[in-house]
Amino acid sequence: MDALKGILPALMTPFEEDGRVARASLEALLARLFEAGVHGTYICGTTGEGLLMSVDMRCQVAEIAVANTPKGHSAIVHVGAAAFEDARDLATHAGRIGATAISSLPPSGPGFGFAEARRYYAALAAASPLPLVVYYFPEVYPSIRTLDQLEEICALPNVAGVKFTDFDLSVLGAVAKPGRVVFNGRDEVLAAGLLMGAHGGIGSFYNLVPDQFVDIDALARAGRWAEVRERQDAVNALITAVLRFPLFPALKQILTWSGIPCGHCLVPRSGLSIEQQDALRTALAAPVIRAVLPGDWRL
């Protein structure tokens, strides 16, 4: 439980042109993130395209990430899958390679409601010795929608806490109880999530500017809230600009421009068009955004 806190990038997965995992780029990204002071990573989640990969590819990414995680830092492996047997096998693999915890989105699709979500999490938590972090994302995965439902899931044996991806931070505040870890999942409101009791954050934009989010977390812990707000506002200018484009292709394009080739997203996602790339470069050239990005990036 003590290891489950702080700033954890939702790790992006670089790919070669033929779709294989780009090991060198992934290791370079991990080195950059830990050098910036992040406290761990969240592996093979939505940002990392885990649900689009084969089980073997997900195991490969998890092995690389865990092997490149410094001692004292956390590695949470997302194991959610359409087939429970795949999720169970991924959870077993995560335990075998030394991950800190596992996590999973709830089941999705027609006919899946709260009863199915509860049954899924109960079975997954029982199948692994690693603590389980529930992924609460009601906008996209509505099988868990209310505080009462979330509390019932969190009360299951071996559930350590929640990755909370929602803007209703009153629910975050209510679920952030002693003995339970809560990660803020909306990058735009990390500051507010920390104020409401989150123990840290898991986010996509942490891949781009990890130092900014590490500083927000540290300043919040020190109670320097005016500075926290300034940092959050600065980061939100970047987030607002990038969200005008398809998110994951845009993040990969920016990382590629920064010196870490990330390749394309997996099918069915596509890359940015030439016109979109030019527009993204223009957006990133705004002074308020350049002030947040590292100065040596060639964008």
Side-chain angles (χ1 to χ4, degrees):
M1 287 292 291
D2 289 342
L4 296 176
K5 61 184 178 182
I7 296 300
L8 278 63
L11 187 66
M12 302 212 76
T13 307
F15 296 106
E16 305 285 3
E17 290 303 316
D18 61 3
R20 291 181 297 113
V21 175
R23 184 186 188 101
S25 290
L26 181 55
E27 290 178 340
L29 177 57
L30 286 159
R32 177 189 286 178
L33 295 173
F34 285 116
E35 184 178 353
V38 304
H39 304 95
T41 56
Y42 186 89
I43 304 155
C44 288
T46 306
T47 303
E49 302 177 76
L51 294 174
L52 300 178
M53 284 190 249
S54 68
V55 169
D56 287 345
M57 288 178 70
R58 294 173 71 170
C59 289
Q60 182 186 3
V61 173
E63 289 168 8
I64 295 170
V66 171
N68 286 273
T69 297
K71 185 177 180 180
H73 295 67
S74 59
I76 302 177
V77 179
H78 177 264
V79 300
F84 176 76
E85 290 76 10
D86 289 343
R88 180 196 58 206
D89 291 348
L90 287 164
T92 300
H93 176 264
R96 189 165 60 246
I97 64 175
T100 312
I102 59 171
S103 182
S104 179
L105 286 158
S108 65
F112 287 117
F114 176 70
E116 288 76 20
R118 188 188 186 285
R119 188 175 302 115
Y120 171 81
Y121 280 121
L124 185 59
S128 173
L130 295 179
L132 170 62
V133 177
V134 173
Y135 194 155
Y136 178 71
F137 196 179
E139 180 181 351
V140 181
Y141 294 84
S143 56
I144 306 173
R145 297 187 304 274
T146 69
L147 174 59
D148 287 344
Q149 291 174 342
L150 187 55
E151 285 285 359
E152 188 171 337
I153 297 293
C154 287
L156 293 169
N158 206 34
V159 171
V162 184
K163 178 182 185 289
F164 187 94
T165 304
D166 194 42
F167 286 118
D168 188 350
L169 298 182
S170 66
V171 176
L172 185 155
V175 80
K177 296 179 177 178
R180 181 184 296 163
V181 63
V182 177
F183 288 100
N184 181 83
R186 289 286 190 183
D187 298 5
E188 304 94 319
V189 292
L190 172 62
L194 294 171
L195 180 63
M196 294 300 291
H199 300 86
I202 296 171
S204 302
F205 281 87
Y206 300 10
N207 288 276
L208 299 187
V209 287
D211 57 313
Q212 299 292 328
F213 290 99
V214 168
D215 285 351
I216 289 171
D217 181 67
L219 290 167
R221 303 300 166 200
R224 296 160 61 179
W225 291 104
E227 295 170 78
V228 171
R229 173 66 183 272
E230 290 177 5
R231 291 298 185 97
Q232 184 74 69
D233 286 346
V235 167
N236 284 357
L238 170 65
I239 294 173
T240 299
V242 174
L243 286 179
R244 298 189 184 108
F245 303 88
L247 176 57
F248 301 127
L251 293 176
K252 282 198 162 183
Q253 183 65 69
I254 297 169
L255 282 176
T256 298
W257 288 336
S258 80
I260 299 178
C262 285
H264 296 294
C265 292
L266 297 177
V267 175
R269 292 196 176 98
S270 61
L272 300 184
S273 67
I274 297 299
E275 293 77 15
Q276 287 174 321
Q277 291 181 38
D278 290 343
L280 180 58
R281 282 185 187 273
T282 299
L284 297 179
V288 67
I289 295 176
R290 286 299 304 180
V292 174
L293 296 174
D296 59 346
W297 285 12
R298 295 184 178 181
L299 299 174

